[in-house]
Amino acid sequence: METLPLISTAVGLVLSGSAAILGGTKWMLSRVEQRTDARFSRVDARFDRMDERFDRMDARFDRMDARFERLEAHTDERFATVGDSLMEVKLGLARLETRTDERFSAVGHSLGEVKVALARLEGPHPPFLIARG
């Protein structure tokens, strides 16, 4: 009979030790869970901030795309205008070249007429001129 109190004391010690260990483990697990939840909430907040940054970046890129499209349209208009002006300049140069050719032809024809008139005024020339000494 003396062993019964010893056994019950041993069982009580084992149960209270197990309860203490399980209580400590439960406290430790709840603490780990709280810390993990806090870390995940911070990570979620970081991801939310990153999402906001990406949204701002998307808005910036959209504005830049719109700006580049406007610039491209303006550049296309300017190239068309410059192309038209260049075509007008080429046509003007062609007309000027044609008029210049006509004037040179007219001047050449006039010079020919002047030579003929001068030759008539000077009179006949011998076919071979011998140097006079």
Side-chain angles (χ1 to χ4, degrees):
M1 287 277 187
E2 291 181 15
T3 59
L4 191 59
L6 282 174
I7 292 175
S8 67
T9 304
V11 168
L13 282 174
V14 168
L15 287 178
S16 64
S18 297
I21 289 173
L22 287 176
T25 305
K26 180 182 174 194
W27 175 83
M28 214 168 45
L29 286 176
S30 68
R31 179 89 172 127
V32 167
E33 183 181 8
Q34 287 174 354
R35 290 174 67 188
T36 305
D37 287 345
R39 285 183 181 164
F40 276 120
S41 67
R42 286 194 303 264
V43 168
D44 286 342
R46 287 171 101 182
F47 277 124
D48 290 340
R49 286 193 306 266
M50 286 175 60
D51 284 342
E52 290 172 6
R53 285 181 183 169
F54 280 121
D55 290 340
R56 287 194 306 260
M57 284 175 48
D58 285 342
R60 267 191 229 149
F61 279 122
D62 290 341
R63 286 193 307 265
M64 285 174 49
D65 285 342
R67 212 159 93 206
F68 278 125
E69 287 174 5
R70 286 193 310 267
L71 184 63
E72 185 179 13
H74 181 68
T75 304
D76 290 344
E77 290 173 6
R78 290 186 72 180
F79 271 119
T81 304
V82 167
D84 292 343
S85 298
L86 187 60
M87 197 57 107
E88 290 174 10
V89 167
K90 284 182 180 179
L91 288 174
L93 283 175
R95 284 189 218 121
L96 180 65
E97 185 179 358
T98 304
R99 283 190 307 218
T100 305
D101 289 345
E102 290 171 358
R103 285 183 182 172
F104 278 136
S105 172
V107 167
H109 185 65
S110 297
L111 282 177
E113 290 176 1
V114 167
K115 284 181 181 180
V116 168
L118 189 60
R120 283 188 198 146
L121 287 175
E122 289 180 352
H125 292 285
F128 297 107
L129 290 177
I130 301 173
R132 298 179 195 169

